[in-house]
Amino acid sequence: MVRTLKCMLLTGLFSLFMGSLVAQEIVINYDESKIPAYELPDLLTLNNGQQVKNAVQWTEERRAEILEIFAQEMYGHIPARPAGLHFKQMSEEVVYNGLGLRKVVRIYLDEAEQHWFDVLIHLPKNAKKPVPMFAGLNFKGNDATLDERAGSRWPYELILKEGFGVATAWRDAIEPDGKDSKIEEAVSVCKDGGVRAWYNPGGDWGAISAWAWGLSCIYDYLAIDKAVDASRIAVIGHSRLGKTSLWAGANDTRFAMVVSNCSGCCGAAISRRVIGENFARIATSFPHWFTRAFDKYMNKEADFPADQHSLVALAAPRPLYIASATEDLWADPKGEWLAAVEVAPIYKLFGKTGVKSIYPAPDSPDMDGTVAYHVRTGKHDITAYDWQQYLDFAQKHGWGK
Ligand code: GCU
């Protein structure tokens, strides 16, 4: 007994020591002059060394290679949707003085209706034709988005007035976000520990892949809702959910537009810049977001066989919007913009243009091309200002009223 205790104590001390060693090794750089010299993997060179010459070759060959790199080495593979997927509308009410309809649709993941999550949907009430939509996950629960409306994260009235609908689900109702998750409040899928534990147990997919899978389930519902224009559904997300939005848009090309708001490390930001959050830090703080294969890249950004511009390029040729905030140095705004710049050759294959080659001034969106970017003055957040740009951008592409 004493021996076991001693052993436990020693093991505890050892892991504490190792823990602090690991923590010490993670250096965070905020100095542009200390960015290591780097070369980005070429988007247009196939794994066999040949050059991609046209849009068909990109779509049929190179795109699949890049998708597989991210599935294999960063987020994990996303399984197919379950055979038992079906939907039930739980409620409907008129809101905002007749401006909108609010409904809750339950996404059942099995025939037996044991596993499900709820989607909160707002639609313009008096639309004359099926409406374009934004679909994105939220951090705190569907009901919380109603309160966050005032804080502008989910500016429902603004979106409805512009003629768009919006659908959201709580990320933790699909897959809990690690130890901080309010899992006990999630009564659905999470009673079995999240979708990864229940569906495809043992599959090596991180939470970001699970959330992206959930977004595709939401699309499956929206596609059969007669009030929705299924050819105009944008996937959107902020921060960790912005990483998710890029990954969902990469895998599920039914999303006709992709929006990444302050997605940062393992989102839109170029990893090889190693400024702000880096691989070692993200893989240590949020290991559950990734496949275990990702761990080997801690402190080795340059060894990753792609960079985040490669992920961003998977949105092509669809309209793509990347946004940052001036004070969000953790997410590396400049690196997010550089990814937007780097994908221009891919859009060019489709006869489309990217962003300009000059970093835009704060609050001066660059949205003349099929790729758009802005850096908003302020903190890490998604605000009504950001939403207004996404709505304007979608309208430029013929969406909306
Ligand atoms: C942390 C994390 C980021 C993430 C952010 C968020 O800051 O380090 O990678 O984007 O949380 O989701 O708010």
Side-chain angles (χ1 to χ4, degrees):
M1 177 69 181
V2 175
R3 245 181 123 156
T4 325
L5 269 177
K6 252 193 196 162
C7 181
M8 278 167 64
L9 198 70
L10 280 177
T11 322
L13 280 175
F14 180 72
S15 46
L16 254 180
F17 172 65
M18 286 309 286
S20 64
L21 257 192
V22 170
Q24 274 165 21
E25 271 170 21
I26 303 173
V27 178
I28 303 293
N29 173 42
Y30 283 111
D31 183 348
E32 286 272 336
S33 73
K34 294 204 176 108
I35 289 176
Y38 68 87
E39 206 178 310
L40 290 178
D42 186 16
L43 295 178
L44 291 172
T45 305
L46 288 154
N47 289 347
N48 65 10
Q50 282 175 7
Q51 281 297 109
V52 170
K53 297 205 181 63
N54 52 48
V56 175
Q57 227 184 342
W58 164 263
T59 309
E60 290 181 2
E61 296 176 44
R62 183 64 179 146
R63 193 180 188 284
E65 287 182 355
I66 295 176
L67 199 61
E68 183 55 22
I69 292 173
F70 283 96
Q72 184 68 37
E73 306 293 321
M74 190 175 273
Y75 310 113
H77 290 93
I78 301 179
R81 252 101 57 227
L85 190 71
H86 64 285
F87 319 101
K88 216 173 268 177
Q89 184 167 315
M90 309 302 286
S91 66
E92 180 171 280
E93 59 187 308
V94 177
V95 290
Y96 308 131
N97 298 320
L99 177 66
L101 270 184
R102 173 184 299 155
K103 57 186 183 185
V104 173
V105 171
R106 187 156 290 181
I107 311 250
Y108 285 108
L109 303 170
D110 50 5
E111 287 298 347
E113 305 195 340
Q114 293 301 300
H115 299 90
W116 46 266
F117 66 92
D118 282 343
V119 187
L120 177 67
I121 298 174
H122 284 84
L123 294 165
K125 185 167 171 295
N126 297 317
K128 306 242 162 5
K129 52 180 190 189
V131 295
M133 297 282 300
F134 284 86
L137 303 181
N138 65 70
F139 282 76
K140 295 183 183 163
N142 292 348
D143 287 349
T145 67
L146 301 176
D147 305 329
E148 282 177 311
R149 175 174 67 90
S152 91
R153 254 191 188 193
W154 293 94
Y156 286 130
E157 284 131 300
L158 169 71
I159 299 167
L160 293 168
K161 271 186 203 141
E162 298 277 3
F164 289 74
V166 54
T168 186
W170 186 28
R171 66 169 188 203
D172 294 48
I174 299 164
E175 177 67 27
D177 193 9
K179 57 180 170 16
D180 298 332
S181 177
K182 293 184 195 145
I183 188 166
E184 68 282 359
E185 285 178 24
V187 287
S188 52
V189 165
C190 285
K191 71 179 164 40
D192 285 348
V195 85
R196 287 188 300 162
W198 161 68
Y199 186 61
N200 187 30
D204 186 16
W205 47 319
I208 289 177
S209 279
W211 296 331
W213 177 92
L215 281 163
S216 287
C217 296
I218 295 175
Y219 186 99
D220 288 332
Y221 167 71
L222 293 174
I224 58 158
D225 188 322
K226 293 212 166 42
V228 174
D229 178 351
S231 71
R232 289 185 171 139
I233 301 177
V235 63
I236 187 168
H238 165 62
S239 207
R240 67 198 66 185
L241 302 177
K243 307 180 209 301
T244 305
S245 159
L246 286 169
W247 184 228
N251 281 280
D252 194 338
T253 53
R254 297 175 303 170
F255 288 115
M257 173 173 157
V258 179
V259 183
S260 141
N261 190 93
C262 297
S263 60
C265 184
C266 297
I270 298 292
S271 316
R272 279 167 173 73
R273 283 167 51 80
V274 203
I275 189 163
E277 188 173 27
N278 57 39
F279 278 3
R281 179 61 187 269
I282 202 167
T284 314
S285 307
F286 306 100
H288 60 287
W289 289 353
F290 304 101
T291 149
R292 290 287 54 85
F294 182 55
D295 295 343
K296 63 178 175 289
Y297 298 106
M298 290 200 220
N299 298 315
K300 290 191 180 137
E301 279 79 357
D303 289 355
F304 196 82
D307 206 303
Q308 297 310 110
H309 68 315
S310 323
L311 173 70
V312 167
L314 301 182
R318 296 163 289 170
L320 162 72
Y321 204 126
I322 294 177
S324 316
T326 53
E327 292 170 33
D328 190 14
L329 302 183
W330 185 240
D332 184 20
K334 175 109 184 279
E336 295 179 309
W337 172 71
L338 280 171
V341 172
E342 289 291 336
V343 299
I346 310 306
Y347 278 81
K348 199 165 165 221
L349 289 177
F350 295 89
K352 300 184 177 211
T353 51
V355 292
K356 301 186 180 69
S357 52
I358 302 162
Y359 192 63
D363 312 317
S364 309
D366 172 353
M367 61 160 96
D368 293 337
T370 307
V371 183
Y373 176 85
H374 76 247
V375 56
R376 169 183 46 76
T377 302
K379 292 194 176 40
H380 180 71
D381 201 356
I382 179 166
T383 68
Y385 173 86
D386 298 314
W387 273 98
Q388 186 65 64
Q389 311 321 310
Y390 307 146
L391 292 163
D392 289 354
F393 182 59
Q395 273 156 355
K396 261 180 181 275
H397 288 274
W399 298 29
K401 282 188 270 197

